[in-house]
Amino acid sequence: MTLPMSDPTAWATAMNNLGMAPLGIAGQPILPDLPPPATRERPPGCKTVFVGGLPENGTEQIIVEVFEQCGEIIAIRKSKKNFCHIRFAEEYMVDKALYLSGYRIRLGSSTDKKDTGRLHVDFAQARDDLYEWECKQRMLAREERHRRRMEEERLRPPSPPPVVHYSDHECSIVAEKLKDDSKFSEAVQTLLTWIERGEVNRRSANNFYSMIQSANSHVRRLVNEKAAHEKDMEEAKEKFKQALSGILIQFEQIVAVYHSASKQKAWDHFTKAQRKNISVWCKQAEEIRNIHNDELMGIRREEEMEMSDDEIEETTETKETEESALVSQAEALKEENDSLRWQLDAYRNEVELLKQEQGKAHREDDPNKEQQLKLLQQALQGMQQHLLKVQEEYKKKEAELEKLKDDKLQVEKMLENLKEKESCASRLCASNQDSEYPLEKTMNSSPIKSEREALLVGIISTFLHVHPFGASIEYICSYLHRLDNKICTSDVECLMGRLQHTFKQEMTGVGASLEKRWKFCGFEGLKLT
């Protein structure tokens, strides 16, 4: 096969298919922006190409010589109209064959029209290619499904172990596991499965009842565990409250540092940027302090709501707790008595079953009849001894229950006496209020208008008594804010101004350090009044 340079179009097409810029003899590019040859859309899994423009005298051997350089050829279907279909072994060989599109082919040195032709290579649609591609896609889909299934099985939690069928031996094993705290959950699941399967019958009812009774005995353990966890939670709350109060104290110290730095004698020596930073820091610290203070006050309010304010209520609560404790003990004793009764019934049923089996054994003529009778007699003796012990325990529990009932009656009588005393005290208070009605009028005219103001006066008096040289209104309010954030500075100053015989205001300092301070003068005012 030769490529004559006299045909520039064929040469440019071939060079373009090979991805190279076509050049002439003088090195000049020929048709620089030549588009690639037009091809149809590539079918999926295409391994077959259509080759047109073959010379009329071209044979199958010549086609093989030309296209075997692209890859292994599986089949060639040649037509009489100067075209053929070539099927390759792999898909990438088709791309190589497409690069031969546009080449001119000539057989030998003949220039006859039957010995020359321009090749046109394009994708061809073949059933075999489509079938192989579909098979490959199905295989890939199967592999993907298998991979996903294996992944799901790997991530799936393991199935629970199968529950064994009921038998006397397995029943004894499960009964022992029910008494062990570490194996209780497994044994309970087995017991539940047996009951749902319908393993309970007249013969196995006593065994199932004993296992259910063992499960009931774990209720008390669970209640004790809950109480222990609640105790741990209370201790954690107390630690959190102590830590929060310590944090609040440190915040108060930091805020006091900012306030002292904001006073005139220190404030004048800072630069403008330093003053700005100090004011921003002060605001941030006060906001955080207020948030923590609100949280601590909320915790204290919850504790105060839980606790009673009156001593009589405390005594009644203690009595109620004692009564509830007695009631709980009585209920526990009742439960134990009921369980003992159920045990008695169970043992009676077992004795009846043994008697029935003994009667059956008498009727039947077995060689081991005497041994079975001896075993049954020993079992009956053991049952009778256990029954006697259970009856003694039952009598003891009944005696304890009667004692608890007597204690409960005494507690109820004491509660009635306390209620009568409380009613008498309320009547006396009502009579005293009627007699002291004019005194209330005089009290209403006092400068203290509410109980809250009286509490504030007491707290401020105690605070100023500790500070004999006086304190500023900001210092007093910062102390009061620890107790309640909602206290207003103006209200506090107005209240102290109304009580002239208790508090007095003085000016201290000179020049820039001039400051108003409040002092406690209650002892002097007491002499004057």
Side-chain angles (χ1 to χ4, degrees):
M1 182 180 66
T2 59
L3 294 174
M5 297 300 295
S6 59
D7 191 356
T9 306
W11 176 260
T13 303
M15 296 296 286
N16 192 16
N17 288 334
L18 291 171
M20 301 169 60
L23 298 174
I25 298 173
Q28 298 295 327
I30 304 171
L31 301 175
D33 293 326
L34 188 68
T39 57
R40 62 180 297 177
E41 186 178 356
R42 181 169 187 158
C46 181
K47 295 182 182 179
T48 306
V49 293
F50 166 81
V51 181
L54 293 171
E56 293 183 10
N57 295 332
T59 62
E60 188 172 338
Q61 185 180 0
I62 293 172
I63 296 170
V64 170
E65 289 177 0
V66 172
F67 286 94
E68 67 181 355
Q69 58 184 344
C70 300
E72 182 183 354
I73 297 173
I74 296 175
I76 297 176
R77 294 191 297 272
K78 190 175 181 302
S79 176
K80 296 179 181 179
K81 296 183 179 180
N82 302 333
F83 72 89
C84 70
H85 289 86
I86 303 173
R87 190 163 188 261
F88 292 97
E90 299 294 338
E91 292 184 22
Y92 70 90
M93 300 175 183
V94 173
D95 299 325
K96 291 183 177 180
L98 288 178
Y99 283 116
L100 297 176
S101 182
Y103 280 83
R104 185 175 290 277
I105 185 170
R106 186 172 63 187
L107 303 178
S109 60
S110 175
T111 57
D112 190 5
K113 190 175 182 181
K114 293 182 180 182
D115 294 332
T116 60
R118 184 184 296 172
L119 296 177
H120 173 69
V121 185
D122 198 355
F123 298 110
Q125 193 168 8
R127 294 178 187 175
D128 296 338
D129 298 342
L130 183 61
Y131 177 73
E132 287 184 4
W133 180 79
E134 288 176 351
C135 291
K136 187 177 180 181
Q137 294 299 317
R138 284 195 293 270
M139 183 183 69
L140 292 174
R142 283 195 300 271
E143 291 178 355
E144 181 66 20
R145 285 197 299 272
H146 178 70
R147 188 187 62 79
R148 288 182 181 177
R149 193 181 301 111
M150 294 297 292
E151 188 70 17
E152 289 175 359
E153 289 178 359
R154 189 178 66 82
L155 298 175
R156 186 183 298 126
S159 58
V163 179
V164 296
H165 291 283
Y166 174 79
S167 64
D168 293 336
H169 177 67
E170 294 294 337
C171 179
S172 62
I173 293 172
V174 171
E176 291 296 327
K177 285 183 179 179
L178 285 170
K179 296 175 184 177
D180 190 0
D181 295 340
S182 60
K183 301 177 181 178
F184 177 74
S185 59
E186 179 185 355
V188 162
Q189 187 63 33
T190 305
L191 177 60
L192 177 63
T193 306
W194 284 349
I195 294 172
E196 289 179 351
R197 283 178 181 174
E199 299 288 349
V200 183
N201 51 32
R202 191 171 182 181
R203 185 177 182 82
S204 62
N206 294 327
N207 294 333
F208 275 99
Y209 175 75
S210 62
M211 287 190 287
I212 293 168
Q213 188 177 359
S214 299
N216 183 40
S217 64
H218 281 259
V219 174
R220 193 176 300 169
R221 177 182 66 83
L222 296 174
V223 171
N224 294 332
E225 285 184 2
K226 182 187 174 186
H229 289 309
E230 287 178 351
K231 187 178 179 182
D232 294 339
M233 186 175 70
E234 293 296 331
E235 291 177 356
K237 282 184 179 178
E238 189 65 28
K239 288 181 181 178
F240 174 70
K241 190 173 74 173
Q242 290 176 1
L244 192 60
S245 60
I247 291 169
L248 273 175
I249 291 168
Q250 294 181 8
F251 268 117
E252 291 293 341
Q253 293 173 352
I254 294 168
V255 171
V257 169
Y258 290 141
H259 284 303
S260 62
S262 300
K263 291 180 181 177
Q264 197 71 28
K265 57 184 178 182
W267 191 254
D268 293 339
H269 299 287
F270 293 117
T271 63
K272 190 173 181 181
Q274 290 172 347
R275 291 176 187 174
K276 186 176 180 181
N277 290 334
I278 291 170
S279 60
V280 170
W281 295 339
C282 183
K283 288 180 181 178
Q284 291 177 354
E286 285 179 350
E287 289 176 359
I288 299 170
R289 190 259 327 261
N290 293 333
I291 291 168
H292 286 76
N293 201 1
D294 290 339
E295 190 173 356
L296 185 60
M297 292 301 292
I299 295 170
R300 286 178 179 174
R301 286 194 196 98
E302 289 177 359
E303 291 178 353
E304 288 175 0
M305 286 172 67
E306 292 175 358
M307 297 176 65
S308 60
D309 297 329
D310 200 359
E311 293 179 357
I312 298 172
E313 290 180 359
E314 289 178 0
T315 55
T316 54
E317 283 181 1
T318 53
K319 298 295 182 182
E320 287 175 359
T321 52
E322 291 176 359
E323 184 181 358
S324 63
L326 291 171
V327 171
S328 62
Q329 289 179 2
E331 289 177 355
L333 287 172
K334 283 180 181 178
E335 288 180 359
E336 289 181 359
N337 288 332
D338 293 335
S339 64
L340 289 171
R341 286 176 185 172
W342 294 334
Q343 283 183 0
L344 282 170
D345 295 335
Y347 288 128
R348 285 171 187 167
N349 293 331
E350 288 180 1
V351 169
E352 289 178 0
L353 287 172
L354 289 170
K355 285 180 180 179
Q356 291 176 3
E357 290 177 357
Q358 189 176 4
K360 290 179 182 178
H362 280 300
R363 293 171 190 172
E364 296 174 356
D365 295 331
D366 295 332
N368 298 326
K369 189 175 181 180
E370 293 180 358
Q371 293 180 0
Q372 290 179 358
L373 284 172
K374 288 180 181 180
L375 291 172
L376 290 171
Q377 286 175 0
Q378 290 176 2
L380 281 170
Q381 288 176 1
M383 292 289 181
Q384 287 173 358
Q385 291 176 1
H386 193 74
L387 278 171
L388 291 172
K389 290 180 182 179
V390 170
Q391 285 176 356
E392 290 177 0
E393 289 180 359
Y394 180 69
K395 289 178 181 178
K396 289 179 183 179
K397 296 295 181 183
E398 282 186 345
E400 290 179 1
L401 185 60
E402 289 177 358
K403 288 181 182 179
L404 286 172
K405 286 180 179 178
D406 295 336
D407 294 339
K408 184 179 178 182
L409 291 172
Q410 291 178 3
V411 169
E412 287 178 354
K413 288 179 181 178
M414 291 173 68
L415 280 172
E416 289 177 358
N417 293 330
L418 284 172
K419 287 180 181 177
E420 289 177 359
K421 289 179 182 179
E422 187 179 355
S423 62
C424 293
S426 63
R427 289 171 188 171
L428 288 171
C429 290
S431 62
N432 289 333
Q433 286 178 359
D434 295 337
S435 62
E436 294 178 359
Y437 182 72
L439 183 62
E440 287 183 358
K441 289 183 179 179
T442 58
M443 289 296 289
N444 289 332
S445 63
S446 65
I448 298 173
K449 299 179 180 179
S450 63
E451 186 180 356
R452 178 184 171 82
E453 291 186 354
L455 289 171
L456 284 174
V457 170
I459 295 166
I460 295 168
S461 302
T462 307
F463 180 78
L464 292 177
H465 184 63
V466 178
H467 297 77
F469 298 103
S472 63
I473 190 68
E474 291 82 9
Y475 190 23
I476 295 168
C477 290
S478 66
Y479 175 74
L480 293 175
H481 282 163
R482 297 183 186 178
L483 305 175
D484 191 0
N485 286 333
K486 298 179 181 178
I487 294 174
C488 184
T489 307
S490 60
D491 295 339
V492 175
E493 194 169 4
C494 181
L495 176 63
M496 294 171 69
R498 277 188 276 150
L499 300 171
Q500 298 178 358
H501 296 289
T502 308
F503 307 106
K504 65 180 180 179
Q505 190 178 20
E506 293 182 355
M507 303 293 290
T508 59
V510 179
S513 62
L514 193 62
E515 187 180 8
K516 292 181 182 180
R517 292 193 176 185
W518 287 89
K519 291 186 178 180
F520 178 72
C521 60
F523 299 115
E524 298 175 4
L526 185 64
K527 294 176 183 178
L528 293 174
T529 55

